[in-house]
Amino acid sequence: MSVWQREELASGVPAGVFAEAMARLVSGVAVICARRGDGSPCGLLVSSFSSYSVAPPSVMLALARGSRTYEAMGARVGIPFGAHLLGSADEALAKVFAGRSQDKFADLAWDWDDGTPRLAGVPVYLKCRVAAVFPHGDHVVLVGEVAGCAVATDADPLVYYRRRLDWHLGPGRGPGPDPGPAGIAGTARGPGTARGRGGSEPGRLEEPGAATSAVHGSGRV
């Protein structure tokens, strides 16, 4: 019996229902990269990523215990890793790191940054080091202190919602009315508002096209 199944029996909350509920949370995505013990790079796509504190500058993410990146990082304090925040032009890159290829870095533009794999061309790169580890269930929560930060020119974010990556945000005048099942209202952060790639109504994240993506947003790959 998996940890997931044991937790379901203990809590009384069906795991599938919980997973579907959390799939309704709009988020960005990030690629987390680290160096394996043999010196090769590894990485995975996560949606469970956020800022943690300003002083010191820190981020927080969750990794599945069974993921190869977790094994490479070892969830130990002091381990370096890189966090890459993706833009709307990086959907293909996101799919690479959501997959299970043994060499996700083949044919990608990247380099070492003091032992940390750094991807080229992403909107934001954060050079981090694990500062704290909090294990719980089948995942661990890592707090990483940020030692370096590079921000490129403005780029629309790559938005993850209902297990899809082909949502888009656009500028608007403010939150609009509830659009019903076709989208969610008031999802904007800051002065912008959420909008589909073809939409014009402010405050709206519209249903994308037919393309879908299987993303292990909690850090399982």
Side-chain angles (χ1 to χ4, degrees), residues 4 9-10 13 18 45 50-51 58 70 74 79 83 98 105 114 122 128-130 135 140 166 177 186-188 210 217:
W4 200 13
L9 292 175
V13 178
F18 174 72
L45 186 72
S50 68
S51 61
S58 305
Y70 168 79
I79 296 296
F105 291 79
D114 293 332
V122 297
C128 308
R129 189 172 295 273
V130 177
V140 293
D166 48 355
T187 56

Side-chain angles (χ1 to χ4, degrees), residues 26 156-157 159 167-171 187-188 193-197 204-205:
V26 180
D156 290 338
V159 180
W167 304 87
H168 283 244
L169 295 181
T187 56
T193 55
R195 189 168 68 185
R197 66 173 51 150
R204 181 165 177 159
L205 178 61

Side-chain angles (χ1 to χ4, degrees), residues 172-188 193-196 200-206:
R173 299 182 299 276
D178 185 357
I184 58 176
T187 56
T193 55
R195 189 168 68 185
S200 59
E201 181 180 352
R204 181 165 177 159
L205 178 61
E206 293 187 347

